[in-house]
Amino acid sequence: MNVEHNTVSLGEFEFDCGETIPDLEITYEAYGEFDGDNAVLVCHALTGSAHVAGRDRVDSADQARAWWDDIVGPGKAIDTTEYYVVCANVPGSCYGSTGPKSENPETGEPYGTDFPPVTVTDWTEAQRALLDELGIPHLHAVVGGSVGGMNVIEWAKRHPDHVDRIVPIAAAARLDTQCLSLDAIARRAITTDPNWNQGHYYGEDQDPPSDGLALARQLGHVMYLSKASMERRFGRRAAGRDAVRTFPTDAAGAFFPYRDVESYLDYNAEKFTERFDANSYLYLTRAMDNYDLAAGFESDADALAAFDGDALVMSFTADWHFTTQQAEALADSLRAADANVAHHVIDSDHGHDAFLVEPDNVGPPLADFLDAGVDGNAVTDSVVEDSQESNFAPVHNSLFSQ
Ligand SMILES: CC(=O)SCCNC(=O)CCNC(=O)[C@H](O)C(C)(C)COP(=O)(O)OP(=O)(O)OC[C@H]1O[C@@H](n2cnc3c(N)ncnc32)[C@H](O)[C@@H]1OP(=O)(O)O
Ligand SMILES: N[C@@H](CCO)C(=O)O
């Protein structure tokens, strides 16, 4: 697979908030050959990177490495022998693009929390500027999951003439209140860690706020799983004898079992603190929380009114972070905007991260949609019940199925 891995300087960048930095660098990866009209932009999720595919390419255990390798590659759903696939690390992140841990050229020190607040709009405009730099005026499609799906719909809102097809997966026009509250608690875990130091913890003699970041991630990780899958996978059982608690407990606490689910969350949180920057976690969760498709317009449909391409909205039945009903509301707004829309509901009990780990379910409709739009063979359009009390099961999925 032909892969470019580069960091480009986009020069002075004005953020949505009005602040500027003298130079925004964007790290991106591109796969395949550009033929003028085959570009597909992939938008990564909260803690993802530009490294969307090619698991064997670098020796790293980082979970953000090749995070959609089952979906992107030669002969895969986003076929790199057919499409020129670009994925860029978003501003504010910590995987190469400029963010809080980058050096502020004015001080020679890391920006820390002097870095301007970032929004999903900033990510979209940075991607637009990157594509200009790469000589790509028009996109065949923009695809992304989770907050990457918000990034996708922001493309349809801001650059409706620059993209033919959009695929927001496990996404919504805005986060619900429960998720906002969990994100706020997660940020509090970071900012109350004594090592956080108002976001200036990058000195050689300083430790990062790893305890706060680990807690924040554990809250996030629970949001990405479902009640049923956690029950099935861990139940109430105690962790194996080899499991090691990663934080101290008291003598009374040691009387009770260290549970398998705790071990799982602890292990993954520790791994996460090795790969992600706490300030970036603050910045990117705020961008996600702040996102509101209707901002500046009367409604979501108004915000999307200029987009008349094809849209494949994909959702998962057990995703409570971005529910199937929120996805249906987004699909309805796209329908009202006269786009060709299919809402493909995947019956899965994995939860939100199903978009990362169920390539057999995600791949076929995605591949067929990229090829033929909403008329693609594996693309279905499900009717979703309106009620908050429903179990989100699709009533039928026949409109576009064979
Ligand atoms: C674009 C992006 O989204 S990049 C970020 C990717 N997503 C995340 O990081 C979200 C949180 N992570 C996850 O949900 C998962 O790790 C995923 C989605 C990345 C992968 O899911 P799966 O393939 O099902 O992995 P699974 O959850 O089984 O295991 C994850 C790790 O926990 C370990 N683990 C599993 N059970 C236990 C347990 N009881 N105790 C301790 N560790 C455990 C596994 O050995 C594995 O370790 P490894 O990463 O060192 O190989
Ligand atoms: N688990 C994914 C999706 C979060 O929305 C991530 O960490 O990026």
Side-chain angles (χ1 to χ4, degrees):
M1 181 166 53
N2 181 23
V3 184
E4 299 161 44
H5 176 103
N6 282 322
T7 298
V8 294
S9 165
L10 296 177
E12 185 176 274
F13 187 83
E14 182 174 346
F15 289 83
D16 211 5
C17 64
E19 291 182 44
T20 58
I21 58 170
D23 186 24
L24 176 66
E25 289 192 329
I26 293 292
T27 292
Y28 74 94
E29 294 204 354
Y31 311 77
E33 303 285 343
F34 183 48
D35 71 8
D37 62 5
N38 67 339
V40 173
L41 177 69
V42 174
C43 302
H44 67 71
L46 190 67
T47 68
S49 68
H51 187 174
V52 60
R55 197 161 278 148
D56 301 331
R57 191 150 36 90
V58 283
D59 182 22
S60 152
D62 192 326
Q63 272 188 309
R65 179 177 72 88
W67 55 270
W68 234 12
D69 193 51
D70 294 325
I71 293 286
V72 178
K76 298 182 185 174
I78 306 182
D79 189 344
T80 49
T81 63
E82 198 170 334
Y83 301 110
Y84 181 65
V85 180
V86 180
C87 183
N89 186 222
V90 298
S93 182
C94 53
Y95 287 116
S97 294
T98 313
K101 78 168 188 184
S102 309
E103 182 183 299
N104 178 348
E106 281 161 10
T107 63
E109 300 289 326
Y111 280 102
T113 43
D114 294 332
F115 195 72
V118 296
T119 66
V120 174
T121 300
D122 292 321
W123 302 350
T124 307
E125 293 314 303
Q127 289 157 344
R128 180 60 275 170
L130 169 70
L131 295 174
D132 288 343
E133 194 73 16
L134 300 179
I136 302 172
H138 194 86
L139 291 164
H140 175 67
V142 188
V143 181
S146 190
V147 69
M150 290 171 154
N151 193 168
V152 169
I153 53 179
E154 188 67 0
W155 264 90
K157 174 181 175 179
R158 295 186 69 83
H159 299 290
D161 299 332
H162 296 185
V163 54
D164 294 333
R165 293 179 186 167
I166 60 166
V167 190
I169 305 173
R174 63 193 59 75
L175 223 54
D176 71 19
T177 318
Q178 185 180 33
C179 294
L180 286 179
S181 66
L182 290 169
D183 283 349
I185 298 167
R187 286 191 294 272
R188 181 171 170 165
I190 293 171
T191 57
T192 53
D193 183 319
N195 288 345
W196 182 61
N197 191 32
Q198 297 300 311
H200 298 284
Y201 53 78
Y202 298 105
E204 275 179 13
D205 55 347
Q206 288 174 287
D207 290 322
S210 301
D211 286 345
L213 181 60
L215 276 172
R217 181 56 166 186
Q218 289 185 322
L219 276 171
H221 203 145
V222 173
M223 264 198 279
Y224 308 147
L225 303 172
S226 76
K227 211 172 171 72
S229 65
M230 291 184 84
E231 186 71 41
R232 192 184 57 246
R233 191 163 170 187
F234 306 107
R236 292 172 52 79
R237 71 172 173 270
R241 263 181 303 186
D242 293 343
V244 183
R245 281 183 203 265
T246 50
F247 59 94
T249 187
D250 53 284
F255 172 78
F256 298 99
Y258 180 53
R259 295 191 192 279
D260 208 25
V261 68
E262 288 180 76
S263 157
Y264 176 73
L265 292 172
D266 287 345
Y267 174 78
N268 284 284
E270 293 309 313
K271 269 186 75 171
F272 184 68
T273 61
E274 287 158 21
R275 79 168 174 93
F276 211 75
D277 175 54
N279 280 333
S280 284
Y281 201 81
L282 298 176
Y283 275 69
L284 300 192
T285 58
R286 287 185 186 122
M288 173 166 65
D289 292 5
N290 176 72
Y291 189 69
D292 185 347
L293 170 60
F297 290 83
E298 291 286 314
S299 66
D300 293 346
D302 280 350
L304 294 166
F307 178 72
D308 60 3
D310 280 26
L312 172 62
V313 177
M314 229 187 271
S315 69
F316 301 87
T317 50
D319 182 355
W320 58 277
H321 190 7
F322 290 101
T323 67
T324 288
Q325 274 132 347
Q326 287 172 297
E328 178 63 8
L330 174 61
D332 268 345
S333 301
L334 283 155
R335 288 183 192 109
D338 272 346
N340 301 310
V341 187
H343 178 193
H344 185 97
V345 178
I346 292 172
D347 193 10
S348 153
D349 78 356
H350 193 99
H352 179 63
D353 268 342
F355 78 94
L356 292 170
V357 293
E358 295 194 4
D360 291 347
N361 287 327
V362 171
L366 176 55
D368 288 357
F369 176 78
L370 291 178
D371 183 39
V374 294
D375 296 327
N377 278 344
V379 176
T380 69
D381 191 25
S382 309
V383 173
V384 176
E385 288 173 22
D386 213 8
S387 163
Q388 289 294 318
E389 300 304 316
S390 84
N391 62 3
F392 309 146
V395 176
H396 72 77
N397 57 357
S398 59
L399 287 188
F400 297 99
S401 56
Q402 277 186 311

